[in-house]
Amino acid sequence: MKETPLSNCERRFLLRAIEEKKRLDGRQTYDYRNIRISFGTDYGCCIVELGKTRVLGQVSCELVSPKLNRATEGILFFNLELSQMAAPAFEPGRQSDLLVKLNRLLERCLRNSKCIDTESLCVVAGEKVWQIRVDLHLFNHDGNIIDAASIAAIVALCHFRRPDVSVQGDEVTLYTPEERDPVPLSIHHMPICVSFAFFQQGTYLLVDPNEREERVMDGLLVIAMNKHREICTIQSSGGIMLLKDQVLRCSKIAGVKVAEITELILKALENDQKVRKEGGKFGFAESIANQRITAFKMEKAPIDTSDVEEKAEEIIAEAEPPSEVVSTPVLWTPGTAQIGEGVENSWGDLEDSEKEDDEGGGDQAIILDSIKMDTGVEVSGIGSQDAPIILSDSEEEEMIILEPDKNPKKIRTQTTSAKQEKAPSKKPVKRRKKKRAAN
Amino acid sequence: MEEEMHTDAKIRAESGTGSSPRGPGCSLRHFACEQNLLSRPDGSASFLQGDTSVLAGVYGPAEVKVSKEIFNKATLEVILRPKIGLPGVAEKSRERLIRNTCEAVVLGTLHPRTSITVVLQVVSDAGSLLACCLNAACMALVDAGVPMRALFCGVTCALDSDGTLVLDPTSKQEKEARAVLTFALDSVERKLLMSSTKGLYSDTELQQCLAAAQAASQHVFRFYRESLQRRYSKS
């Protein structure tokens, strides 16, 4: 679907409001929207909601051979997908620019910053390493996808547990989760992206732009930082020219925001771990708020299936037995078999037409070919043996060998006999059989 | 009985929130549904059956590409995305099954030359995935206000090696079963809209599973009704 264009009055309204330091949702210039993190039942699955922007993150692992030039390091793979439900404009072919930009930024933020210790993912040097795959899906696009995605990625990575592996000499033992508790990944630090949107050639800036604000912004500055105030990635797009002190000011703001977000993440991870340890209920089912009228839960419901057998017996007894199907296959030539006779041609008698002539000619040719390839053909009752007999039934006495490009006159005469056999159809042989049945 | 199950988190992880060994008294797992949780799609619903969770988003009736336009009814499209990896043939086949079910109930002739898109995302898979997708799709279509002639629901049955019928199986039960059958039933007369089966079973067993699914669908439709009543009633 095409993206709904932003009207001029809406654009002007947003820009005027920003000039007066007002935002449509009532936030301050440096305020983030509410961040909500919920975890699923399997390890490594989480949903992050940044306001209304919603991202699902899932981490999975697999044992693979390492890359040739990095024989002792594990492999990290990131994939952000903009689901079609996130925005009507996200169609499979259409979102490539945005998708590439987001994926690249995410990779730089997480891979190049070396937040995951890839050396610890090595099992047997040069042969087996862990490949950690992070899949992120955007469910709802309400602005600032990159922040939400980076939070989801790092939370999922922190939450994930990989199966335990032990190496004794040449033997490698992979333990299932039942045998030994799965092991968390070794994470050095948590880089989180913070986005700044610039308006009016860099005069005004907003942190965490929502979808409308993103549409009217001039440029975007993304700073990925960890809580130790180390910048992992910085990217400015949109062609705005920023002054040095603007960038420094943004990095200071980012430092504060990242500290807050990291605290939130750690608290959420701790809560989840506590619930799992105590044996309480966890998973997405628990995170559905009970008080909302749009949410509803029903406990386990027993179903009475005692009368199922009687019902089934009844139905089978009352049902008609399956109709007799004569399914003797006829093998015309090696590789060409026929089951059944097909239906009668329901088009009725067609007048002579050019198309019909060609079809008739073509069909006749096929029949004659099959007669020629008669050797080794198994026939039951009816078949190509009879074809010459039928030909003699036609009004034409002489046997005419037809080729599809033969002159039309001859073909036409043959067509009348074809019409007797109920008009040309795709399966001329079946027609022949019908005639026999009628006889 | 619920407390006993929760003391050991490890066992819980595989059995989910509600499955004790189910015998002749089959039971459906814990259900939960939240509607209208996404702001961009016209309708959205998240459906949870035990630990299986599917999120559905519906756009429609909306603009359709001229190549896909049908002159007298709406073009219905279903997209199913797995959680990990790229979508493959299994997803395509499930999309087709869900699309056939939806086309049977959606009144497409009221909106000709438009498109209705149902996007499904697997959030977690712990058995009965196709049934959960069908339920999520139905709730999302209701939330979007797409006109339908009936509601539909999906129910999965598993037959294990000694012929015991289990409704709403977990992934462990599905793996060990001899046959897994999924049915889509409509709400008006509990008629069969779609069936997708895997494995070996006799025709008596098929009729039994179908009868059991019809009994289970009563509960699912009651769940739909109660959740919509909660949302739309004035009290």
Side-chain angles (χ1 to χ4, degrees), chain A residues 58 279 290 292 298 303 305, chain B residues 6 24 26 31 34 83 230:
Chain A
Q58 171 72 59
N290 225 347
R292 292 214 189 118
M298 182 172 86
I303 308 278
T305 52
Chain B
H6 294 157
C26 307
F31 274 16
E34 188 175 353
K83 190 159 61 155
R230 180 184 165 121

Side-chain angles (χ1 to χ4, degrees), chain A residues 120-155:
Chain A
S120 67
L121 297 174
C122 178
V123 176
V124 178
E127 283 174 32
K128 284 283 177 218
V129 297
W130 283 112
Q131 176 181 314
I132 303 291
R133 190 196 162 102
V134 183
D135 284 283
L136 299 158
H137 299 271
L138 179 72
F139 287 160
N140 198 40
H141 176 27
D142 197 33
N144 208 1
I145 302 173
I146 188 63
D147 285 18
S150 75
I151 297 173
I154 200 66
V155 168

